[in-house]
Amino acid sequence: MSTAVAAAPAPVAEIDLSHAATDQILRRLGVVIGIGALIVMMLELPAVLVQPVYLARWPEIHLVSAYVLFAVLAIVSARGPVRAIRRAAGAAAVVYLAAAAVTPLLYSVTYIGSFASWPYRGLAVGALAAGLAWPRRVAAVFVALLATVAAISNVLVIPGSSMWTLVGDITRALGVAALFLWCVVYARAAAERVDREAIRQRVRAATVAATTAREREGARFAALIHDAVLSTLLEASRSAGSTPVLRRQAARTLEQLEQSRNAPEIDHFDAAATVEFLRDAVREVDPELPVQVSSRGADLRLPVESARVLGAALMEAVRNSLRHAGAPGRTVRRGLSVTIATGGIRVVLTDDGVGFDPARVPADRMGITGSILGRMRTLAGGAAFVESAPGAGTVVTLVWASDG
């Protein structure tokens, strides 16, 4: 028999699940871009300090001002709200563009032997920040502007530059900036696809869960109707008048119908409580049925709902034996054994009645298919087996294990 196992849901962090992957990639990219830009600044600082400048301007102030907002970007990405990451990235990109634009106003020429100014060499960080801050089209326009401004600024401070130098610088700048922009845009697009697929999966899962819940509730109610209501009505039709057995069964049926209106409280039975619960369930159907209990010092924790399902399946198995195992002039002996081990329980009902061929039982017969096998299949960690043959009696085994 197959066993249905229900896994407990993992705790969900307090995040917007519709943008979980996008938010995560924004944070990681923001931290990486921010820290990377600060590393670039430290590498550029020694070369900047030896550059000739106009009016004794401090080149280090120019450099630090271009990169200071990248430090803010790293901090916001690590600790701040997600909505502030794009704002910090956009501000850092704009400030870097401004720093590149004013470079010719501060420097006369770059140091002899240098092939490019630092805003041109580091324009990749500006492109990365733009890709993080804005939609792809806006970011592409900004990156093209940044590459052009950085190339023009570079030509103006590099000795011996020409128009062909400018064309080459713009081409290289556009290529490098486009490459880094593509990396960020692709990462963001991949995260957005993950979010969209996650939403679709949650919608499908919710639909399946709702359908399964309806089917399970329908099966539970159908089994309850068969086990309790129809059994009570059948007993009433067979009795000439009111009997103690009929009165007890009718009272128990009303109690089960009332309990079915409310979800059971989350609780567990230990080994002793489980045995007593099963004894009570059997007494409702056959007070004379002997129950043999074997417990190996087990530490059992059986959920209340699982105990109710197990008890209901056992009651139906006993009813079936009482109704169908006997024959005219034949006395049927029955026995019930309950074996409890740590984390599990095994219940075996046997009779030496007329038996039957399980393969010939119609699928729509609720007694075996729905009320016994079906019940135990839907129980997490549960399983049921029915062994019988004509003239050889019947053995019904119900099993539950806490590890499923």
Side-chain angles (χ1 to χ4, degrees):
M1 300 300 298
S2 60
T3 302
V5 179
V12 180
E14 294 182 359
I15 58 176
D16 183 1
L17 293 178
S18 62
H19 299 90
T22 301
D23 293 348
Q24 187 178 44
I25 200 67
L26 284 176
R27 287 192 180 278
R28 293 185 178 182
L29 286 175
V31 171
V32 170
I33 294 171
I35 294 177
L38 295 179
I39 294 174
V40 172
M41 181 188 73
M42 297 303 297
L43 294 176
E44 293 287 357
L45 187 59
V48 168
L49 294 177
V50 299
Q51 299 297 323
V53 296
Y54 288 132
L55 303 176
R57 300 285 185 183
W58 294 342
E60 60 271 21
I61 294 179
H62 180 222
L63 177 69
V64 171
S65 65
Y67 284 95
V68 65
L69 289 184
F70 285 94
V72 176
L73 173 61
I75 295 172
V76 170
S77 299
R79 298 292 183 180
V82 174
R83 62 179 178 274
I85 297 176
R86 292 184 177 180
R87 299 174 186 173
V94 171
V95 169
Y96 192 91
L97 173 63
V102 301
T103 297
L105 303 179
L106 301 180
Y107 293 85
S108 54
V109 292
T110 58
Y111 183 70
I112 300 301
S114 176
F115 67 90
S117 62
W118 66 260
Y120 183 81
R121 291 195 298 267
L123 65 88
V125 297
L128 290 171
L132 194 64
W134 301 301
R136 65 188 67 181
R137 293 183 180 179
V138 177
V141 173
F142 178 88
V143 166
L145 176 62
L146 174 62
T148 302
V149 170
I152 294 174
S153 173
N154 185 63
V155 168
L156 293 177
V157 297
I158 295 294
S161 298
S162 63
M163 181 60 64
W164 289 111
T165 302
L166 176 61
V167 172
D169 286 351
I170 292 177
T171 303
R172 282 190 294 272
L174 287 173
V176 171
L179 175 62
F180 282 92
L181 175 63
W182 178 84
C183 293
V184 177
V185 170
Y186 181 83
R188 285 181 55 184
E192 291 169 359
R193 285 196 297 270
V194 170
D195 285 331
R196 288 194 297 269
E197 183 59 28
I199 292 173
R200 285 195 289 267
Q201 290 293 340
R202 284 195 293 273
V203 171
R204 284 196 289 265
T207 302
V208 171
T211 302
T212 302
R214 288 193 298 268
E215 292 176 351
R216 182 175 299 177
E217 182 63 17
R220 185 185 70 85
F221 189 73
L224 176 61
I225 293 297
H226 176 273
D227 296 352
V229 178
L230 294 182
S231 296
T232 302
L233 295 177
L234 181 61
E235 187 67 27
S237 67
R238 291 174 175 175
S239 302
S242 177
T243 64
V245 174
L246 178 58
R247 287 195 295 271
R248 285 197 305 269
Q249 186 168 339
R252 178 61 177 169
T253 300
L254 293 175
E255 181 183 351
Q256 289 177 336
L257 290 173
E258 181 64 25
Q259 289 176 351
S260 69
R261 297 173 55 188
N262 303 312
E265 297 180 359
I266 299 176
D267 200 358
H268 295 78
F269 287 157
D270 59 12
T274 299
V275 171
E276 189 60 29
F277 178 85
L278 293 178
R279 287 184 186 273
D280 289 341
V282 171
R283 289 193 194 105
E284 294 288 338
V285 183
D286 185 2
E288 305 300 326
L289 179 63
V291 179
Q292 180 181 357
V293 178
S294 173
S295 178
R296 306 163 187 170
D299 182 17
L300 179 67
R301 285 179 57 82
L302 178 64
V304 171
E305 179 60 24
S306 298
R308 289 177 177 171
V309 173
L310 184 63
L314 176 59
M315 291 171 68
E316 182 59 22
V318 176
R319 286 194 189 99
N320 275 345
S321 179
L322 290 173
R323 292 173 189 160
H324 306 298
R330 179 171 182 173
T331 301
V332 178
R333 293 190 299 272
R334 297 179 180 84
L336 179 66
S337 66
V338 179
T339 304
I340 297 178
T342 299
I345 183 171
R346 179 186 180 94
V347 180
V348 180
L349 173 68
T350 61
D351 68 51
D352 60 356
V354 297
F356 63 98
D357 184 0
R360 301 185 64 179
V361 176
D364 58 352
R365 282 286 299 275
M366 289 298 298
I368 294 178
T369 305
S371 298
I372 301 176
L373 302 180
R375 264 199 177 109
M376 296 303 295
R377 273 199 302 266
T378 60
L379 175 61
F385 309 92
V386 177
E387 303 170 76
S388 185
T394 302
V395 178
V396 178
T397 304
L398 309 178
V399 180
W400 178 85
S402 60
D403 60 358

